[in-house]
Amino acid sequence: MTTTSQQELTDAVVHALRQMRGMTARDITALSRQLTGDTRSKRRSNALVQVMERRRVLEYLVQARLPGSDGGASILPEADDGMSQEQPDPPGSQQDAKAVALQTARVALKILANSDRFSTEEAVMRAFGSICGPQLPEWEYICVNVALDGAPCVDVGGWQLATFDYATDPALPLTGAPGVGGDLLAPRVLHEMYGFGLLRRALGNDPVPVDDDGPRVLVWPLLALNLALEAPVVAGRRYLVEPGRRVLGPHLGWPDPSEVARWGYTFAPGRPWPSYVINRTHESEVAAFCRAFLAGVSRLDARRRDQLARAADHFLFVKCHVLGEAEGSAPASSLHLSEAAFRLTAALECLLTGGDGGRSDLSRKVQQRAAVLVGEDDDDRLQVRNTVGAGYAARSAYVHGDKEKESDLQALQRVVCRVLVHWVVQATHCAQLSGRHTGREGLVNLLDDALLSGGLHQEHVAGPRDAFRADGGTPPLPPLTRWTPDRFQSAGPTHSPLDVV
């Protein structure tokens, strides 16, 4: 029995596809009739007949290219091909070469019909790999309700923010291509019909978080995007893929990331979140801010990162669950606004408490430290202090069951945004200082001292803040375009004559 190596099989499929793609519909019909001995010139043609003709011609061209094309050849993997034991076994001596070659050719044709980013060789390589392996590095994909209008992707602290566009993005899984066998990519409905983009990252050796005790990874890109953009950015379904190849799983019950539970929102069935598009003129601004902010986060020690993560949990809950919108302009939750003030002031306390050996007069300290940290001038510092003070009053009324007190929740949220950003700048700066301005209490000690020292404030608070802004660290908060159904696009262009075989 003749054996065929994987390389010989790949070469045969590539040659067959090149030949078929160079044929017109009339050429395919003529060759199909020649193969069946049908010489009738006016045979009625319909879609089903055309599909059968294409299949017949493809089978003929592939088989003709196979070494020892007797239809009974088997395939043996080449030596030392790097297969992983977790992957399905490659075609062995019991598998028919013709069947594997035809399956590969059909998948490759669908890839070529739905994306112009692949050469014939690349399409065959991915199709053959999707069928037989070897395993590729896994990536984590997460649906988010914001997408890009122009750039293929932007970096968000080790993640990529991208738009689901199969025609231009070769990193998307093959099962995202229309018509490819095994198309079980459930989140594709969210991407295509609701306009959601995606966050993705190469997993490498990083563990995949499975519960709330796992490593905090999603909080950082979500925090950066929610600081950079006015609209709430929420995360939803999560799936693993081999980029450019296949979805690894799960095929059913697509889970939400465990961290999403901390922020009190999800893509509930029948109640999709509105999705947004970042205008291409602002994509570079958003990318620059995310890069500068998350570079600072990466320089924090473990204790500081934990502080920031706890503050971020409160901030993200309020922005996305209370102030966020779903089904129009209605809040995603009926949570009392005073509880939102409670959470926002709690976020400030996560970052600005400590020093002086205790927690006496806590609200006054937090108000003053927030004003010193983010205030641009005397008037701005007074405004920040008053906004935080009103939030504390609403919080106290909520906690003690008193009559509800009004507070400008949007203004308080904006103050918390500024504090989150500049706290990261200040924390990384204090790590370079000495004396009472470094260590566990160094940041709050510096803010307390800068309240009375203009020189200290200019050198160690305003100076690092200005340098950070010059590096792109000013939250752009650009206007966003609401995604509407008229922007709906299928994952690929219209079907070509060779799309369905």
Side-chain angles (χ1 to χ4, degrees), residues 203-455:
L203 283 177
N205 295 323
D206 291 343
V208 179
V210 293
D211 55 43
D212 283 344
D213 293 326
R216 305 300 304 277
V217 291
L218 189 56
V219 63
W220 308 124
L222 262 293
L223 177 60
L225 289 171
N226 274 286
L227 292 173
L229 303 172
E230 190 73 46
V233 179
V234 301
R237 297 291 185 253
R238 169 181 175 272
Y239 50 102
L240 304 181
V241 305
E242 292 177 346
R245 282 267 285 273
R246 54 188 159 193
V247 175
L248 298 178
H251 291 298
L252 297 174
W254 300 87
D256 291 321
S258 59
E259 287 186 80
V260 168
R262 294 174 179 264
W263 310 319
Y265 60 79
T266 183
F267 290 147
R271 189 175 182 176
W273 282 77
S275 52
Y276 303 90
V277 178
I278 302 173
N279 187 285
R280 64 185 64 199
T281 60
H282 298 292
E283 287 169 346
S284 60
E285 299 174 46
V286 174
F289 169 76
C290 291
R291 181 171 56 251
F293 175 73
L294 292 174
V297 172
S298 68
R299 291 193 290 269
L300 299 176
D301 60 30
R303 187 182 66 84
R304 291 294 194 198
R305 285 169 68 90
D306 181 63
Q307 275 186 276
L308 182 61
R310 285 185 283 118
D313 286 340
H314 290 298
F315 168 72
L316 291 173
F317 185 99
V318 172
K319 182 172 182 183
C320 300
H321 192 61
V322 182
L323 300 179
E325 54 179 339
E327 296 289 345
S329 59
S333 168
S334 58
L335 184 69
H336 200 283
L337 295 183
S338 294
E339 184 178 348
F342 175 88
R343 286 184 174 271
L344 289 175
T345 53
L348 294 175
E349 289 182 2
C350 287
L351 303 176
L352 299 178
T353 55
D356 294 341
R359 293 179 174 270
S360 60
D361 206 4
L362 182 64
S363 66
R364 178 186 61 81
K365 293 178 182 176
V366 170
Q367 293 171 50
Q368 290 179 346
R369 290 166 180 170
V372 171
L373 179 63
V374 303
E376 299 290 342
D377 50 38
D378 290 346
D379 290 340
D380 190 31
R381 282 188 281 274
L382 285 173
Q383 183 62 49
V384 169
R385 188 202 64 178
N386 293 340
T387 298
V388 177
Y392 264 105
R395 161 185 169 148
S396 179
Y398 171 77
V399 170
H400 299 293
D402 297 335
K403 183 178 179 181
E404 176 184 348
K405 292 193 176 182
E406 292 185 2
S407 66
D408 188 339
L409 201 60
Q410 295 285 357
L412 182 57
Q413 181 192 231
R414 286 192 290 271
V415 168
V416 174
C417 282
R418 294 166 66 185
V419 168
L420 284 164
V421 173
H422 297 307
W423 182 90
V424 170
V425 177
Q426 200 63 60
T428 56
H429 177 72
C430 286
Q432 307 169 25
L433 302 181
S434 60
R436 69 183 251 104
H437 296 155
T438 193
R440 177 179 290 271
E441 309 294 349
L443 189 151
V444 293
N445 287 338
L446 175 61
L447 295 178
D448 289 344
D449 293 347
L451 179 65
L452 301 176
S453 171

